Amino acid sequence: MPINQPSNQIKLTNVSVVRLKKGGKRFEIACYKNKVREWRTGVETDLDEVVQIENVFVNVSKGQLAPHDDLQKCFGSTDTKKIILDILKKGELQVGEKERSHELSSTWKDIATQVAEKCVDPGSKRPYTVGMIEKAMHDVHYSVKTGKSAKSQALDVIKLLQEKKTIPIERARMRIRLSMPNKDGKKLKEKIIPLVEKVEDEDWTDEWELVAFIDPGALRVINDILETDIKGRGKVETLNFASVGEGDGDERLE
């Protein structure tokens, strides 16, 4: 399908391209930056906020539209919206070199930060700084994986550092005491227990009191539950940290 105007007349700024190869042909759609991932994770649901222009291209940068015959042959349809959704779902997000470098650098820092938050030196029980974790990641030649979450990669890094014995490192666990009226405890127990890694003690005598080990990141979630669901009638105290060994899950307290 010919375009009556020069390709540079199609003004596409701040664009991200999603490309799908199908039936030996290449198809592209023009999307707003950062919106494709939001769409794929369900954060963004409005297609108009994701796709810049409802056209299917052979080449977005040159403004070359895909011929209708090719759309019919490869997708079995010329329904533009349907094809765009297919490309958005299955296509590969094209990232420029500068953007890719920034994204890798940002993910690297995010991974190191999460490892530092989750781990301690088993000898001193002290946390590591982000810089110390980054150095250890360099030492084991860790490479950031695109398309894999920083959280998942942080767990991979912890295992790798433990295997290589680059630095003495173990997962940290926070020991807490949670208390609230019994009626609130019965109401919230099903929400709280999934956030707990190990229950040390539980008592219902005067109120619900729970002493347990949690991932440090769960503390904020528990506080939010207390504030939202029972308007602060419960309280949570941090007792100390523990490092969790591999295998049997034994805690070694301060």
Side-chain angles (χ1 to χ4, degrees):
M1 177 180 174
I3 301 175
N4 295 326
Q5 59 201 40
S7 60
N8 60 9
Q9 292 297 305
I10 298 181
K11 299 294 185 184
L12 295 172
T13 58
N14 199 31
V15 67
S16 280
V17 174
V18 179
R19 179 182 298 160
L20 180 67
K21 291 182 179 177
K22 192 176 179 74
K25 304 284 185 179
R26 183 178 79 175
F27 301 97
E28 297 182 346
I29 55 173
C31 300
Y32 292 102
K33 281 188 181 293
N34 305 321
K35 286 296 183 179
V36 176
R37 290 185 179 87
E38 289 184 10
W39 171 270
R40 289 177 172 175
T41 57
V43 173
E44 179 60 70
T45 55
D46 185 351
L47 191 63
D48 290 339
E49 294 295 321
V50 182
V51 178
Q52 285 208 27
I53 181 170
E54 282 203 17
N55 278 326
V56 180
F57 296 83
V58 171
N59 188 309
V60 166
S61 63
K62 294 181 180 179
Q64 296 176 346
L65 294 175
H68 278 203
D69 288 349
D70 285 354
L71 296 179
Q72 183 64 48
K73 180 182 175 183
C74 297
F75 291 94
S77 170
T78 56
D79 184 332
T80 304
K81 188 169 183 177
K82 181 181 175 183
I83 295 169
I84 285 173
L85 286 170
D86 198 28
I87 295 172
L88 193 56
K89 181 181 177 182
K90 301 175 184 175
E92 182 182 342
L93 178 61
Q94 306 299 300
V95 182
E97 198 56 44
K98 186 176 179 182
E99 187 179 346
R100 186 186 303 278
S101 177
H102 174 74
E103 185 177 316
L104 290 175
S105 177
S106 176
T107 304
W108 171 277
K109 178 70 77 174
D110 194 6
I111 293 167
T113 300
Q114 292 199 38
V115 173
E117 288 174 350
K118 292 175 182 294
C119 296
V120 293
D121 178 328
S124 67
K125 305 296 187 294
R126 293 182 181 278
Y128 284 103
T129 65
V130 174
M132 293 166 77
I133 297 298
E134 285 189 278
K135 182 180 183 304
M137 288 167 64
H138 278 298
D139 289 345
V140 295
H141 308 293
Y142 186 77
S143 297
V144 174
K145 280 82 173 173
T146 55
K148 192 173 181 181
S149 73
K151 182 178 180 180
S152 174
Q153 291 188 72
L155 298 177
D156 292 342
V157 167
I158 294 168
K159 289 178 185 175
L160 186 60
L161 296 180
Q162 288 173 332
E163 287 170 7
K164 300 286 187 182
K165 302 189 188 308
T166 313
I167 54 175
I169 189 168
E170 288 182 340
R171 291 287 300 274
R173 287 297 175 267
M174 185 181 283
R175 187 165 171 258
I176 62 162
R177 179 187 289 116
L178 178 69
S179 56
M180 66 185 70
N182 278 335
K183 64 174 184 177
D184 293 321
K186 290 173 183 175
K187 174 184 170 186
L188 293 187
K189 185 173 180 178
E190 286 187 5
K191 280 190 177 182
I192 299 291
I193 293 300
L195 299 169
V196 167
E197 300 237 339
K198 182 179 178 181
V199 174
E200 183 181 283
D201 191 30
E202 186 176 14
D203 183 34
W204 292 88
T205 306
D206 298 315
E207 60 180 1
W208 184 40
E209 184 177 281
L210 182 73
V211 177
F213 293 93
I214 63 169
D215 186 296
L219 182 63
R220 180 183 57 80
V221 181
I222 292 172
N223 272 317
D224 287 347
I225 290 172
L226 297 186
E227 186 59 40
T228 304
D229 290 32
I230 59 174
K231 309 301 179 190
R233 289 194 297 273
K235 66 177 181 177
V236 58
E237 306 166 67
T238 303
L239 301 178
N240 53 13
F241 275 87
S243 56
V244 179
E246 290 294 310
D248 58 10
D250 289 341
E251 286 79 15
R252 295 184 289 284
L253 304 181
E254 291 179 328

